[in-house]
């Protein structure tokens, strides 16, 4: 089936084209879209691209960093000011995938992918989208919950506050094949503290549901407490609460539920 490629100079024009055609897909780095096309996915009849440089912008001039949807993981790794995102960027595929794959595309990647998005969820990122009805900012959790309905919208950028300290933000991807395997479980935690007590704990999990999700029971177990053996054990004990992992070729749902607490304990105690 022939596929039409439409290239636009501005993100706004691309967004209009995308929202007008249900069979249109935006092409980010193409690591997933091109694979789908090569495998004969007939649901895609139009590929929309934008050469708008705003989509490739990184702004680290303030405490809130802004990353264009078209920024690749290789560029994140080259940006010293984004050191807190280097572990999640390094967790994606191999060098070729990191050179092409984008932050925007990762928001839509289905299990076992979406490893970078797990980090963004723990950082309470905001997703800026442009749809047929104009531009708006959506909290990432809300975006992920309605992700299947977002396919007609163009993601312009994501923004997030830097973690309060290097130690506050932690990330761990569990894979059977290192460094390139698909995720058994991916975990990220953002643990701001005030007077030695955790405030506003965020724990995000990948491969524990249809999309990256917050581990709210574990967050509650840490809230207002010091990060010590007792609070870590309490969080680990409820890590799987609310999760609905699937059986996949990489791991069974049962296994994921069994080991999530172990990996959360290791993440929170700073173990490798
Ligand atoms: C060999 C291999 C290994 C991989 N390993 C990993 C891994 O370890 N971890 C991981 O998370 N992922 C992995 N991936 C998946 C993928 O490379 C990444 O998730 C990547 O971030 C996808 O980004 P992309 O720009 O290539 O997406 P694309 O293929 O361009 O797009 C993917 C989807 O997102 C949509 N999209 C892209 N950009 C936008 C936008 N700005 N606005 C609206 N919609 C948009 C597209 O329309 C499409 O539906 C791997 C892929 C391959 C082929």
């Amino acid at each position: 089936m022939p596929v039409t490629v439409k290239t636009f100079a501005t993100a706004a024009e691309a967004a209009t084209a995308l929202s007008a055609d249900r069979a249109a897909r935006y092409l980010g780095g193409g690591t997933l879209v091109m694979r789908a096309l090569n495998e004969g996915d007939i649901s895609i009849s139009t590929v929309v691209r934008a050469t708008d440089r705003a989509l490739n912008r990184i702004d680290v001039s303030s405490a809130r960093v802004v990353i264009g949807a078209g920024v690749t993981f290789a560029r994140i790794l080259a940006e010293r000011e984004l050191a807190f995102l280097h572990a999640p960027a390094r967790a994606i595929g191999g060098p070729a995938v990191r050179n092409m794959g984008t932050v925007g595309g990762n928001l839509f990647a289905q299990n076992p992918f979406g490893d970078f998005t797990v980090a963004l969820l723990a950082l309470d990122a905001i997703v800026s989208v442009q749809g047929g009805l104009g531009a708006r900012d959506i909290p990432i959790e809300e975006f992920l919950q309605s992700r299947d309905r977002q396919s007609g919208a163009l993601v312009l950028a994501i923004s997030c506050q830097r973690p309060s300290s290097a130690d506050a933000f932690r990330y761990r991807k569990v894979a059977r094949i290192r460094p390139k395997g698909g995720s058994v479980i991916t975990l990220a935690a953002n643990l701001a503290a005030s007077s030695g007590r955790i405030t506003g704990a965020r724990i995000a999990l990948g491969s524990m549901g249809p999309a990256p999700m917050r581990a709210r029971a574990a967050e509650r177990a840490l809230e207002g407490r010091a990060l010590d053996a007792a609070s870590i054990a309490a969080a680990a004990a409820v890590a799987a609460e609310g999760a609905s992992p699937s059986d996949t070729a990489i791991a069974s749902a049962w296994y994921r539920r069994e080991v999530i607490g172990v990996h959360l304990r290791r993440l929170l105690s700073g173990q490798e």
Side-chain angles (χ1 to χ4, degrees), residues 18 24-35 44 48 55 68-73 88 90-94 97-98 100-110 112-117 129 143 150-157 171 173 179-183:
L18 209 54
R25 287 288 178 290
Y26 187 74
L27 185 79
T31 57
L32 294 172
V33 170
M34 289 312 298
R35 192 160 79 166
I44 309 173
V48 173
L55 293 169
V71 170
T72 63
F73 303 112
R90 217 176 288 115
I92 312 281
V97 173
R98 291 196 289 271
M100 298 295 293
T102 65
V103 170
N106 203 260
L107 290 169
F108 295 90
Q110 306 286 328
F113 298 144
D115 296 316
F116 196 80
T117 301
V129 301
F143 177 91
Q150 304 284 351
S151 58
L154 179 66
V155 176
L156 303 174
Y171 182 85
K173 174 177 170 181
K180 289 204 276 182
S183 145

Side-chain angles (χ1 to χ4, degrees), residues 14 60 81 84 112 127 141 148 154 162 166 183 201 213 239 247 255 262:
V60 290
E81 290 288 327
F84 63 99
V127 184
E141 191 177 19
D148 295 343
L154 179 66
R162 291 169 209 259
S183 145
M213 55 169 285
D247 290 324
Y255 179 77
V262 174

Side-chain angles (χ1 to χ4, degrees), residues 93-221:
V97 173
R98 291 196 289 271
N99 272 333
M100 298 295 293
T102 65
V103 170
N106 203 260
L107 290 169
F108 295 90
Q110 306 286 328
N111 284 337
F113 298 144
D115 296 316
F116 196 80
T117 301
V118 175
L120 295 177
L121 180 59
L123 289 163
D124 265 342
I126 296 290
V127 184
S128 303
V129 301
Q130 171 116 33
L133 300 173
R136 65 189 185 113
D137 289 342
I138 311 175
I140 188 165
E141 191 177 19
E142 191 186 315
F143 177 91
L144 290 170
Q145 282 162 359
S146 60
R147 152 170 100 163
D148 295 343
R149 298 195 298 279
Q150 304 284 351
S151 58
L154 179 66
V155 176
L156 303 174
I158 63 96
S159 62
C160 65
Q161 206 75 23
R162 291 169 209 259
S164 56
S165 68
D167 193 41
F169 184 69
R170 295 141 190 239
Y171 182 85
R172 183 182 189 91
K173 174 177 170 181
V174 182
R176 293 191 188 281
I177 304 164
R178 288 210 204 178
K180 289 204 276 182
S183 145
V184 174
I185 302 171
T186 303
L187 309 93
N190 192 15
L191 307 170
S194 168
S195 309
R197 311 238 159 232
I198 295 166
T199 53
R202 290 287 181 275
I203 298 175
L205 306 176
S207 299
M208 289 299 286
M213 55 169 285
R214 295 251 305 270
R216 288 188 187 274
E219 290 174 357
R220 280 194 300 273

Side-chain angles (χ1 to χ4, degrees), residues 58-84:
I58 296 179
D59 183 354
V60 290
S61 59
S62 68
R64 191 162 190 89
V65 303
V66 182
I67 304 174
V71 170
T72 63
F73 303 112
R75 277 195 58 215
I76 287 183
L77 286 167
E79 176 57 66
R80 214 186 296 175
E81 290 288 327
L82 295 178
F84 63 99

Side-chain angles (χ1 to χ4, degrees), residues 191 198 201 203 205 215-223 225 227-241 260-262 264-265 268:
L191 307 170
I198 295 166
I203 298 175
L205 306 176
R216 288 188 187 274
E219 290 174 357
R220 280 194 300 273
L222 294 175
E223 197 60 34
R225 299 177 71 178
L227 190 64
D228 55 21
S231 63
I232 290 174
V238 293
E241 225 172 81
I260 181 67
V262 174
L264 182 60
R265 184 168 46 72
L268 298 177

